[in-house]
Amino acid sequence: MADPVKRFHLHLVSDATGETLNGIARACIVQFENVEPVEHMWSMIRSDRQIEKVLSGIAANKGVVLYTLIEERARAALEAGCRALGVPYIPVLDPTLGALTNYLGLKTRNLPGRQHALDADYFKRIDAINWVMAHDDGQSAHGLTDAEVILIGVSRTSKTPTCIYLANRGIKAANVPFVPGVPLPDEIAMLEERAEPPVFVGLTNDPNLLVQLRRNRLNMLNESRETDYTDLDKVKSEIAEARRFFGARGWPVIDVARRSIEETAAQIISIVQERREKAEAGR
């Protein structure tokens, strides 16, 4: 039996930005141990000349081809070229589109890059991103009334990147730091009393990991002296106090230790969706 391939060329061919294809490829690759793909991204591929360039690249570095081409002529040219080269080619959207076509009884429109159209959802995401940046780390507390989500957590719990990720899903998310002995903005208590308050989520972390993250942060700032910020006992007390604070208010708490930002955001999105469904059911 031949030894398994560890390092290989992976060609990602898209008629749009390639963001969807890249995400699918990475989700698949992480399921294999010690595999090192050499990625070749071919984006905005729509013309015959572009297909020829792609096939030349594939011929020079033979490997697996994943593609999301919608236009039939481009697909046919790529597939014919891959067959001639003897390389595997996989249309990653076809199973999903086929299932939807059968279920809906409708034909696809075959419009390249349709998911990136400048529609209302696109501008909603841009607006959310701008809003998040203006309300990062407790800034502009007076504008929190527009927030759909407010993350409150101790330092180094990935509050900002999580908010940015949520903004890319069109969710206006603000974050406020939890600092022992420092009261939260008055607006937080006011928002809690609203008939439909924003979703409050408390973020915590493993004390040992948190100390490591904070020390790395200080090293980047050329600050090496020991303070309560990195003292393990103080950090344990800080996290315990934060948990008591969140629990007293009935807020959901997410421990971000060994969680990716995407996983944390996914859990928050589930909480938001559940809130929306309850609100719809009550109307």
Side-chain angles (χ1 to χ4, degrees), residues 227-260:
T227 65
D228 289 352
Y229 186 66
T230 54
D231 180 87
L232 182 58
D233 290 334
K234 296 290 186 181
V235 171
K236 286 180 178 179
S237 176
E238 179 183 346
I239 292 175
E241 183 176 338
R243 285 188 173 275
R244 287 193 296 269
F245 184 88
F246 302 150
R249 287 156 179 75
W251 296 347
V253 179
I254 300 176
D255 187 338
V256 303
R258 285 167 285 280
R259 279 178 184 265
S260 67

Side-chain angles (χ1 to χ4, degrees), residues 151 154-163 203 205 213 256 259 261 264:
L151 305 183
V154 299
S155 175
R156 302 287 98 190
T157 49
S158 300
K159 296 186 294 296
T160 296
T162 302
C163 284
L203 300 181
N205 206 334
L213 290 171
V256 303
R259 279 178 184 265
I261 291 166
T264 300

Side-chain angles (χ1 to χ4, degrees), residues 16-168:
T17 62
E19 179 183 351
T20 300
L21 188 54
N22 189 60
I24 293 172
R26 291 185 182 279
C28 293
I29 292 299
V30 295
Q31 301 301 321
F32 299 91
E33 292 287 343
N34 302 319
V35 168
E36 182 185 350
V38 180
E39 293 186 5
H40 305 267
M41 174 58 74
W42 307 92
S43 57
M44 306 302 292
I45 303 302
R46 300 178 183 180
S47 69
D48 293 344
R49 181 173 295 180
Q50 289 172 320
I51 291 292
E52 290 175 3
K53 184 177 180 180
V54 171
L55 290 171
S56 294
I58 296 171
N61 298 285
K62 290 187 177 181
V64 179
V65 178
L66 305 183
Y67 67 93
T68 54
L69 301 181
I70 296 295
E71 201 274 319
E72 288 296 335
R73 181 171 173 175
R75 285 170 59 98
L78 178 67
E79 292 169 0
C82 288
R83 284 194 298 271
L85 293 170
V87 298
Y89 54 95
I90 305 165
V92 298
L93 294 183
D94 280 19
T96 303
L97 287 174
L100 287 172
T101 296
N102 291 333
Y103 181 79
L104 298 172
L106 300 171
K107 292 183 178 181
T108 60
R109 290 188 283 182
N110 294 340
L111 298 175
R114 183 67 183 179
Q115 71 272 33
H116 301 294
L118 301 183
D119 55 12
D121 285 340
Y122 175 85
F123 289 107
K124 180 181 179 182
R125 292 196 300 273
I126 297 300
D127 181 50
I129 291 171
N130 290 332
W131 190 91
V132 163
M133 298 311 297
H135 296 81
D136 180 44
D137 205 30
Q139 299 181 70
S140 303
H142 64 276
L144 293 178
T145 53
D146 295 329
E148 186 171 9
V149 171
I150 297 180
L151 305 183
I152 300 177
V154 299
S155 175
R156 302 287 98 190
T157 49
S158 300
K159 296 186 294 296
T160 296
T162 302
C163 284
I164 293 173
Y165 187 95
L166 292 170
N168 274 286

